[in-house]
Amino acid sequence: MPPKKRPAGKAVPKAKQAKKSKEPEAVETEEEELQVVPAEAEKPVRTAVHGRPFAQLVSEALKSDERVVQLPRAAEALIDTMKVPVTSSLLVEAGAGSLLPPVLRFPGLVVAGAGTKLTLRHLYIEAQVPAAELEVRAGASIELVNCRLQGVGLKLCP
């Protein structure tokens, strides 16, 4: 079998060059420089574990200074029996690869504190009680991105 021809412009390893000729030629190669980003520079992400109340997930994320909570798609809703307080900026979103949005069922959500921003992304939020509401207090904001609200009101407090 004849030897394989290398395309023009490709670098030949020095060991193979030495076998072909006794005088090695200088070959210029381009080396890619990879940048390694330390783990500390990435945003911490907390993934929900089934069987834990939503308020507990939010409070643990805020205590550990995490800014993202990812909820996996579950056969059952993530249920809570109390209003969920959010006092620091937070992103709550569907986990990667989730085709259907996770279902959250709770009596209410309170966003409070100057400069606090809560972003809810790709979620299905359902009222657990008839008067469930998303309450946004003075200085705080809420952003709903591709969310479906079922029986939930929005209350803006001065």
Side-chain angles (χ1 to χ4, degrees), residues 33-53:
E33 191 172 313
L34 300 176
Q35 293 181 341
V36 178
V37 179
E40 298 88 36
E42 296 177 4
K43 291 183 180 178
V45 175
R46 178 171 297 276
T47 303
V49 178
H50 300 294
R52 293 171 61 195

Side-chain angles (χ1 to χ4, degrees), residues 121-140:
R121 187 177 293 156
H122 306 294
L123 302 175
Y124 180 83
I125 303 169
E126 201 172 78
Q128 186 177 9
V129 296
E133 56 191 24
L134 299 175
E135 184 178 331
V136 183
R137 298 193 178 160

Side-chain angles (χ1 to χ4, degrees), residues 2-146:
K4 289 185 181 178
K5 291 186 179 180
R6 295 191 182 269
K10 291 277 185 168
V12 178
K14 288 185 179 181
K16 287 188 179 183
Q17 265 188 351
K19 289 180 184 176
K20 287 183 180 179
S21 67
K22 293 184 180 180
E23 294 180 28
E25 296 178 9
V27 177
E28 292 183 23
T29 61
E30 291 183 24
E31 293 182 19
E32 288 186 27
E33 191 172 313
L34 300 176
Q35 293 181 341
V36 178
V37 179
E40 298 88 36
E42 296 177 4
K43 291 183 180 178
V45 175
R46 178 171 297 276
T47 303
V49 178
H50 300 294
R52 293 171 61 195
F54 182 62
Q56 184 180 2
L57 290 171
V58 169
S59 67
E60 286 177 3
L62 294 175
K63 283 179 186 174
S64 62
D65 201 32
E66 294 174 356
R67 297 292 170 232
V68 179
V69 176
Q70 290 185 340
L71 305 174
R73 169 70 177 128
E76 299 176 8
L78 194 60
I79 300 173
D80 210 326
T81 56
M82 59 184 257
K83 279 193 171 186
V84 180
V86 178
T87 56
S88 216
S89 295
L90 187 66
L91 166 66
V92 180
E93 66 181 358
S98 181
L99 298 176
L100 296 173
V103 178
L104 293 177
R105 189 177 297 143
F106 48 76
L109 190 73
V110 179
V111 184
T116 299
K117 180 181 179 182
L118 174 65
T119 304
L120 302 174
R121 187 177 293 156
H122 306 294
L123 302 175
Y124 180 83
I125 303 169
E126 201 172 78
Q128 186 177 9
V129 296
E133 56 191 24
L134 299 175
E135 184 178 331
V136 183
R137 298 193 178 160
S141 63
I142 188 168
E143 181 181 5
L144 301 169
V145 180
N146 197 19

